[in-house]
Amino acid sequence: MDKLSSYQAALQVAQQAIARLAIWVEARFSYQPENLVPAVDRAMKILGWQDAEIGALCLLFDQVRLPKQGEEEHKAKIHYCPAIAIEDANPPIPYPQTDLPDLSELKGKIKTALESLTQADWENLSLLTVFLEKYGSFLSFGQPDVALIDQMRITAAIAAALADNPDTEQLSLVAGDLSGIQKFIYTISSDGALKSLRARSFYLELVTEEVVQQLLITLKLPRSNVIYAGGGNLYLLAPIQGIQGKIDSVRQDINQWLRKEFQGKVFLALDHETFNLNIIATPEFQKVWQQAIDKVNQRKTVRFCESLPVLLQKKVSYEPCKVCHRDDEADLKPLTKDSNVLACGTCRRMFRLGQQILQTNAIIRTEGKPLARRYVHLVNREVYYNLFRNREEALQTVASASFLLVNNWRIEDYQTDQGSTAIPLLLGNYAQQSAFMEEGEVEDGKQILPGIMTADEFANLAEGINRVGYLRMDVDKLGKIFAKGLQSYSLPKLAGLSRQMSYFFKVYLNSLADDRWKNFSSQSESFKFKLLTTNDRRNLLFIYAGGDDLFVAGSWNEVVEFAFDVYQSFRAYTGNHPDITLSGGISLEIPKFPLYQAAEESGEAEDQAKGNGRDSLGLFGTAFKWDEWLGATTPDQVDRAIKQLDDHAKKHLDAKDQPQWLGIFPFVSQLQTDELSDNQSRSFVRNLLITAEVQEHAVKEKQREIDDFKKAQTPKTDEAPKLKQLKTQQQEIRYYLHLPKIAYTLARLPSRIRDSESFQPVRTSLKSPYNAPYFRAIATWIELLTRST
């Protein structure tokens, strides 16, 4: 296939979409598409452009259905996406609405923007694609839940793949996965680990980008054929001619480099699935998607076969790197000039990169030699990703190049000179600047680039105890959502689902971290946030934020609050869909705690949340549903929360004991604002903890009694009455043992607090058996907020 023909085919599709927009908004627009080439004509017919109209966009997440056995299928409300254009930078989260949006304001913006396009813009595929992404991500085209940008991209990908053979009946879906990412990112231990960890995450994004570049070069395809790329995963459409040999060549070449660079810890699994064109816009395509994933997973299971001859060669071992522990490099050097930590070349480069990436908004890829003072060198490939603060700085270095612009939808930045192109790169890259010069890049004693905030800084800025918080979080059952969730499958819908998930984790979370209130003010009227505090909580660092998960560090109390902000934002973003939830885990550590162990502990907390039936958070050594953490403070909320309790628990709880408040958040919020002295606060917290410990110990003792009774029984013994009695006793301990101790604790509080109107819900609700399971979490949270060391 000729690269020019595939590019021109994709360009024609983008021009057609722009022309449709111009007609829709009645713009004075002088540019018209040329006569369609056969590949474009066929692609547009396959995806039904003939009768397609532009309109309001229904929320694609509403189409997800994951019915559970024995339960009625969820009937989602109809939600609409807001009729907005994506802001140039740091766009706020676009929460859906239940009312049909008014499109008139967006029409006006599109009309103005279209009328400012030039002839050069009309021939610029990248610019037109970004234009359609900015203005067409919240407009439907053809189907009410398919966005204009997704329809355009998939049509362009089909047309480009058909460019040299428009009559073919088959194409290929190429799928890839960089496995071993977590091992590469998390298993390090050294000074400055936060900096190195974030650099490794950034580095792997560039490795994914390099895989995409190699595939596009080898297959002679334009960027529009990439359906999704990020977080180590990629999908693209390609013609079938010679496809297996071409992707095998790319896979082997990349893996040869990865083996040298990472000792086989990171591996590229790459394969493809051939399919008939007539199913690309039908539910049948779901099978193709899953079969491609299955082939990639199969590649992972035989990852070492290709490298077996190399692995069997005799190796010489040297002193291991103190950071990543590899032992195949003889030339270990200090991590920094003032450090006695001996590190390999990769780890030294990662540390330097960690000092350089805080202000990186434009990237240029070059081969042979670097262009900039700051760059990422993909060793053994002689490929350089040159880092610049912005596009203007990059243009001062090179007149024409291919740019990657980070989280940028400013149309003017894509209006490049002849020979230049610009492509958006989505990155979850929020970070706070360190106050110390030595954490940034220093030249001649002057700080020329700021560094990221350190673990010590995060701990010192934390409220209460000096600790760093580590949060890991991901979407529950995402694989099942993609494989079986959508009611009507098509490639444009799958692309839309991938894009919207990626936007949330790579784009909108940056905005949520940077400007909490900008995202709260635009929330849905039907979904209000619950906040522990009204602080900005900006002392965070995104170590990794990918297609559906994240790993965040920061001041512990701010990390905890951010977790709740993320959960509530995500639920609102997905229309509060019961089948689309998150689970997360948080660990709290001293600043010098090895970061790889912090990652393990937060991962274990997340596993604990998954084991709690998902849709949960693991924190303070326990796991509860998010709704239990967030709590209920109105009669309706409490009623709904109680109805969600399992029948076994409700059977032992008296309706007359129903509390005013239920959960954890309300108590922590109120108790940290009450004017308790240090002694009173410590006493109150201590008594809550003692109560929780007594209950937990008694419940465990009763469980041992139950287990012993079961073991002692023979098949002929009628054990039901005795066993029922023991279980009833266990539930009574769980929910009622606390009452005398709580009454004593409350009675010792000063009357000005105990009898105040604001404290009454606390007073009555703590004595309710419904809140008994939450005492440890409440007490631990308050204790950490009030401790100073």
Side-chain angles (χ1 to χ4, degrees):
M1 175 183 290
D2 181 76
K3 186 176 181 180
L4 182 61
S5 65
S6 65
Y7 179 92
Q8 289 298 328
L11 177 61
Q12 270 203 355
V13 174
Q15 291 172 339
Q16 287 287 332
I18 292 288
R20 296 288 184 99
L21 264 183
I23 294 170
W24 184 63
V25 302
E26 300 177 350
R28 295 188 300 275
F29 196 70
S30 58
Y31 312 114
Q32 294 300 321
E34 298 176 358
N35 293 331
L36 299 182
V37 298
V40 173
D41 184 57
R42 189 175 181 204
M44 292 176 68
K45 286 178 180 177
I46 288 170
L47 289 182
W49 281 54
Q50 302 94 314
D51 303 318
E53 294 183 356
I54 296 171
L57 180 65
C58 292
L59 187 68
L60 183 57
F61 294 116
D62 284 349
Q63 297 301 311
V64 172
R65 297 288 187 277
L66 291 178
K68 302 176 183 67
Q69 189 174 0
E71 294 186 14
E72 291 186 13
E73 186 173 320
H74 165 65
K75 295 180 179 179
K77 295 180 181 178
I78 296 177
H79 292 91
Y80 297 94
C81 295
I84 59 174
I86 298 176
E87 293 186 10
D88 290 349
N90 246 11
I93 302 171
Y95 298 114
Q97 57 193 62
T98 53
D99 297 328
L100 188 69
D102 181 0
L103 303 180
S104 57
E105 183 178 350
L106 179 58
K107 274 188 171 184
K109 291 181 179 179
I110 294 173
K111 184 175 185 293
T112 301
L114 279 173
E115 291 175 350
S116 68
L117 293 181
T118 67
Q119 178 65 50
D121 298 336
W122 182 246
E123 300 295 331
N124 185 334
L125 174 58
S126 180
L127 181 142
L128 296 185
T129 302
V130 172
F131 189 101
L132 290 164
E133 185 174 340
K134 181 180 180 72
Y135 294 106
S137 288
F138 300 99
L139 291 173
S140 68
F141 186 66
Q143 298 181 60
D145 53 3
V146 174
L148 174 59
I149 180 59
D150 298 319
Q151 189 80 310
M152 172 264 157
R153 276 182 169 155
I154 298 305
T155 309
I158 295 171
L162 291 174
D164 273 6
N165 189 8
D167 297 324
T168 185
E169 294 300 326
Q170 292 184 317
L171 291 180
S172 287
L173 174 67
V174 179
D177 181 9
L178 276 171
S179 62
I181 285 179
Q182 293 203 359
K183 183 179 289 187
F184 171 69
I185 291 179
Y186 297 139
T187 54
I188 64 169
S189 55
S190 75
D191 295 333
L194 276 181
K195 188 186 305 178
S196 297
L197 218 66
R198 187 164 185 264
R200 285 170 175 250
S201 173
F202 178 78
Y203 184 85
L204 283 176
E205 289 289 350
L206 296 184
V207 172
T208 303
E209 174 62 26
E210 181 62 16
V211 174
V212 168
Q213 289 282 349
Q214 292 301 317
L215 284 169
L216 294 179
I217 292 169
T218 302
L219 298 171
K220 298 181 180 178
L221 292 170
R223 186 77 182 202
S224 56
N225 280 64
V226 180
I227 299 169
Y228 173 79
N233 296 297
L234 62 94
Y235 300 90
L236 58 86
L237 281 186
I240 62 172
Q241 291 90 343
I243 183 67
Q244 190 66 58
K246 291 175 182 177
I247 65 173
D248 283 349
S249 175
V250 172
R251 187 188 69 250
Q252 291 165 7
D253 181 47
I254 294 288
N255 279 330
Q256 183 179 16
W257 164 57
L258 292 175
R259 279 195 301 273
K260 292 180 181 178
E261 184 72 1
F262 307 119
Q263 280 194 309
K265 289 181 181 178
V266 183
F267 172 82
L268 174 64
L270 190 67
D271 216 315
H272 76 104
E273 181 67 20
T274 299
F275 62 91
N276 291 326
L277 263 173
N278 60 357
I279 69 168
I280 202 165
T282 73
E284 286 295 307
F285 191 80
Q286 179 270 329
K287 295 179 182 177
V288 177
W289 187 275
Q290 188 58 50
Q291 286 164 356
I293 294 173
D294 291 343
K295 283 188 174 181
V296 168
N297 290 335
Q298 181 63 28
R299 288 278 181 188
K300 292 181 188 178
T301 65
V302 293
R303 59 182 294 181
F304 295 112
C305 288
E306 292 176 359
S307 58
L308 193 58
V310 177
L311 293 174
L312 292 176
Q313 291 177 2
K314 187 176 180 180
K315 294 195 306 179
V316 178
S317 294
Y318 303 96
E319 180 183 358
C321 169
K322 300 301 182 184
V323 179
C324 70
H325 315 298
R326 66 186 296 173
D327 62 357
D328 64 333
E329 188 171 319
D331 188 24
L332 299 184
K333 294 179 181 178
L335 192 63
T336 68
K337 65 179 182 180
D338 300 321
S339 172
N340 57 5
V341 175
L342 295 179
C344 66
T346 297
C347 289
R348 296 197 302 273
R349 289 193 298 275
M350 290 301 105
F351 189 85
R352 287 195 300 272
L353 180 60
Q355 294 177 307
Q356 298 173 334
I357 60 178
L358 182 59
Q359 294 184 356
T360 295
N361 294 300
I363 304 170
I364 296 178
R365 178 185 181 273
T366 58
E367 297 183 16
K369 63 179 181 179
L371 290 174
R373 184 176 50 78
R374 295 189 295 146
Y375 57 83
V376 178
H377 181 196
L378 303 189
V379 180
N380 299 319
R381 298 194 59 78
E382 295 309 316
V383 171
Y384 298 84
Y385 282 85
N386 303 271
L387 312 180
F388 300 93
R389 301 186 197 204
N390 49 51
R391 176 178 173 269
E392 288 69 29
E393 182 184 68
L395 287 173
Q396 292 172 7
T397 305
V398 57
S400 63
S402 179
F403 294 89
L404 293 169
L405 299 180
V406 177
N407 299 341
N408 184 334
W409 290 269
R410 186 173 179 267
I411 298 300
E412 293 83 352
D413 287 347
Y414 293 84
Q415 292 173 316
T416 54
D417 299 329
Q418 290 294 328
S420 293
T421 58
I423 300 164
L425 177 67
L426 306 185
L427 282 178
N429 61 349
Y430 179 82
Q432 276 286 39
Q433 180 176 326
S434 172
F436 301 108
M437 184 177 73
E438 58 268 23
E439 295 304 326
E441 190 169 1
V442 179
E443 192 173 90
D444 297 328
K446 295 180 180 179
Q447 184 169 14
I448 56 176
L449 282 173
I452 62 172
M453 193 174 283
T454 65
D456 283 319
E457 287 178 280
F458 283 135
N460 291 332
L461 289 168
E463 182 178 350
I465 195 168
N466 292 349
R467 292 291 184 272
V468 182
Y470 297 94
L471 165 67
R472 292 178 71 169
M473 183 182 285
D474 70 3
V475 178
D476 296 320
K477 300 181 180 178
L478 186 67
K480 187 174 289 188
I481 289 171
F482 273 92
K484 302 177 181 179
L486 287 174
Q487 286 184 300
S488 58
Y489 271 86
S490 67
L491 185 50
K493 288 186 179 182
L494 283 170
L497 200 60
S498 296
R499 178 178 60 83
Q500 292 182 45
M501 283 291 185
S502 188
Y503 267 39
F504 184 83
F505 285 93
K506 289 191 170 188
V507 177
Y508 299 136
L509 287 189
N510 291 323
S511 176
L512 182 63
D514 183 63
D515 194 335
R516 198 180 191 191
W517 304 113
K518 183 178 182 180
N519 288 278
F520 288 168
S521 63
S522 60
Q523 66 185 291
S524 166
E525 283 297 317
S526 61
F527 195 84
K528 294 293 186 182
F529 287 95
K530 294 179 180 178
L531 311 177
L532 186 66
T533 73
T534 57
N535 300 333
D536 285 338
R537 58 107 192 88
R538 290 182 175 179
N539 294 315
L540 305 168
L541 171 68
F542 285 15
I543 295 172
Y544 175 79
D548 74 311
D549 62 345
L550 58 86
F551 182 35
V552 173
S555 300
W556 78 267
N557 58 299
E558 299 191 34
V559 167
V560 170
E561 289 205 57
F562 183 65
F564 288 102
D565 288 354
V566 172
Y567 176 76
Q568 294 178 92
S569 298
F570 182 76
R571 300 287 284 121
Y573 177 72
T574 57
N576 204 17
H577 198 297
D579 293 337
I580 310 175
T581 58
L582 293 170
S583 290
I586 299 175
S587 67
L588 311 183
E589 316 294 352
I590 61 173
K592 298 300 182 184
F593 192 74
L595 207 149
Y596 74 94
Q597 288 184 248
E600 286 181 4
E601 292 196 2
S602 56
E604 289 170 1
E606 185 181 17
D607 291 341
Q608 191 178 14
K610 298 281 187 183
N612 191 51
R614 298 185 174 86
D615 191 26
S616 302
L617 172 69
L619 174 63
F620 307 139
T622 188
F624 293 112
K625 297 291 185 183
W626 290 97
D627 284 344
E628 293 180 275
W629 286 103
L630 291 166
T633 55
T634 69
D636 286 345
Q637 290 174 352
V638 172
D639 282 339
R640 285 196 298 271
I642 287 176
K643 286 177 182 177
Q644 292 174 5
L645 291 174
D646 64 74
D647 293 334
H648 188 61
K650 284 189 285 190
K651 187 168 59 177
H652 297 275
L653 294 167
D654 196 324
K656 72 177 187 300
D657 294 321
Q658 182 169 316
Q660 288 179 260
W661 289 354
L662 182 64
I664 299 166
F665 239 51
F667 297 100
V668 176
S669 180
Q670 180 62 45
L671 289 169
Q672 73 168 341
T673 59
D674 285 321
E675 296 180 359
L676 293 170
S677 68
D678 289 344
N679 288 336
Q680 291 165 345
S681 176
R682 282 194 292 270
S683 176
F684 185 83
V685 168
R686 185 169 58 250
N687 284 330
L688 273 185
L689 284 172
I690 291 171
T691 302
E693 289 168 359
V694 168
Q695 279 183 304
E696 291 165 3
H697 178 73
V699 167
K700 288 179 181 177
E701 285 295 315
K702 187 58 67 174
Q703 185 61 49
R704 276 195 285 270
E705 190 176 342
I706 291 170
D707 294 340
D708 290 343
F709 176 79
K710 287 180 178 179
K711 291 177 183 177
Q713 303 310 301
T714 64
K716 296 180 180 179
T717 303
D718 183 11
E719 64 176 36
K722 176 64 175 177
L723 187 61
K724 182 178 180 181
Q725 181 185 23
L726 290 172
K727 289 183 176 179
T728 298
Q729 291 171 356
Q730 186 184 47
Q731 292 301 317
E732 288 173 349
I733 291 170
R734 185 187 306 277
Y735 292 108
Y736 291 96
L737 183 64
H738 73 288
L739 291 178
K741 185 69 174 178
I742 286 295
Y744 170 78
T745 300
L746 292 170
R748 289 176 59 85
L749 289 173
S751 59
R752 61 181 173 78
I753 293 175
R754 186 180 63 243
D755 299 332
S756 67
E757 184 177 349
S758 63
F759 194 75
Q760 291 315 298
V762 178
R763 183 177 180 180
T764 58
S765 298
L766 278 180
K767 292 189 289 186
S768 167
Y770 286 88
N771 280 308
Y774 311 126
F775 286 169
R776 177 177 289 280
I778 294 168
T780 302
W781 203 337
I782 296 169
E783 181 190 29
L784 294 175
L785 285 169
T786 54
R787 279 175 58 184
S788 59
T789 58

